[in-house]
Amino acid sequence: MTRRFLLVALLLVLTVRPSAGQELKEQARVDALVRKLGSSIYAQREQARKELEAIGPTALEAIRKSASTADAETARRVGDLIRSLEEQLATQKILTA
């Protein structure tokens, strides 16, 4: 019984966890969107913000990594986005508790 439970748990972990390739692809996507936050074109900045918000709190780590290389204006926008996503995450935790 215990062995069966451990096997099922292991299978769940392996199927739910994204592969390294998927993580790199997601990081590249987030990097590109963060760069667009610094665009001189308002529509591109807004589209990038909306896409990052749509990814949601799962992208926080990738967004934080991208923020370190951003210019001042982009860094401000990323900071606002991070705060918003952290609030979403906190709300989700409260609602599931």
Side-chain angles (χ1 to χ4, degrees):
M1 179 72 170
T2 303
R3 224 179 251 180
R4 180 179 282 170
F5 175 75
L6 290 174
L7 180 61
V8 170
L10 178 62
L11 287 173
L12 283 172
V13 168
L14 292 175
T15 57
V16 172
R17 187 180 176 278
S19 69
Q22 288 172 325
E23 288 176 8
L24 288 175
K25 190 180 272 189
E26 185 69 16
Q27 180 66 49
R29 180 173 178 234
V30 169
D31 288 345
L33 290 170
V34 167
R35 281 192 303 275
K36 285 184 180 180
L37 287 175
S39 172
S40 60
I41 301 168
Y42 176 77
Q44 285 183 349
R45 292 191 308 264
E46 278 302 295
Q47 183 64 33
R49 182 189 58 78
K50 288 177 183 178
E51 287 184 43
L52 288 166
E53 284 179 340
I55 295 171
T58 59
L60 269 171
E61 187 64 32
I63 293 169
R64 285 185 182 114
K65 287 179 184 176
S66 296
S68 63
T69 61
D71 61 80
E73 178 62 21
T74 304
R76 184 193 63 78
R77 292 177 189 279
V78 168
D80 292 344
L81 184 61
I82 288 172
R83 280 186 290 283
S84 173
L85 292 174
E86 285 174 341
E87 288 174 7
Q88 288 179 24
L89 188 61
T91 301
Q92 286 174 359
K93 286 181 180 179
I94 290 169
L95 293 175
T96 58

